[in-house]
Amino acid sequence: TNMTDHDIDRIITYKLAPINVSVQTMNPQLRCRMLHNRFAGEALKKMRRLYEAGITMNGQIVLCKGINDKEELERSIRELTEYIPHMQSVSVVPAGLTRYRDGLYPLEQFTKQEAAEVLQMIHRWQETCMEQFGMHFVHASDEWYLLADQKLPPEESYDGYVQLENGVGMLRLLQDEFREAMRAQETCLPRQDTISIATGELAAPFIRTLTQEFMQRYPQKNIQVFAIRNDFFGEQITVAGLLTGQDILRQLKGKPLGERLLLPCSLLRSGEEVFLDDMTVEELKKALQVKIVIVNSNGQDLYDAFME
């Protein structure tokens, strides 16, 4: 909505791609209401211009319960398939609800059953798109599978992980890379020690599964996973990337953390060793009196951190 026709002309002239589009809905009237902008519906025409110019795009739909889900989601996916092949993927992610919502629309979280219904629709459209276009096209973020308590789809379902930065396939890739790293180090004999991991409540059960696999192979290792509750933004925020240093400190203070504490890199501001609440990694290290290791979001780095 903040791009002029001149901006679109420049994208087309210089063939800038891929362009990431926050679609939300293909219903122009609903899009105006969702974005609280009377011009938001007109912005969909700019997407049509990019398509006609052959500009590669990726779309995202942030799904809000009772607003752009169900029939509206069905409509959005159906109409977006008309933009294939230049629209190469569309991700569907659930809206994150913080506790700072005074005066805002009363959004609700999706239940386990509702998450399963979203996945059912997406899987049906994936089958259709594979038959017609040879690609899955529409993808559910990892959160839907965790919410619905369903198994992650296989690697080939992600079309080369085209929307990894939106949390689409991140856990599948992490799991596959981690298991591959273990297979590649069959003769390694790590020393005995205790390690702790802090992560969000949503991913904690998944991470525990990986640690159990690791400890079955290396019983001399003791790895404990702490699911950190998000008091800063609200308990409904369960992803690791929005945890703060103060929440980690309060919930781990006095706990036996072992020789080192592993934290995912998504907790930190880009390029800095600083949490979202301005606490530094060094400050947390001193407060907890434990070595802190920042782990990149891939399975090899996680395995290496376990093995030190």
Side-chain angles (χ1 to χ4, degrees), residues 218-254:
Y218 303 113
Q220 64 269 48
K221 290 285 186 178
N222 178 36
I223 305 174
Q224 49 193 359
V225 178
F226 292 94
I228 304 299
R229 183 183 64 254
N230 199 321
D231 294 327
F232 187 91
F233 288 109
E235 293 184 25
Q236 290 184 319
I237 298 296
T238 57
V239 295
L242 290 177
L243 289 176
T244 58
Q246 59 189 271
D247 282 342
I248 297 171
L249 174 58
R250 274 198 296 264
Q251 294 173 49
L252 295 187
K253 188 71 173 177

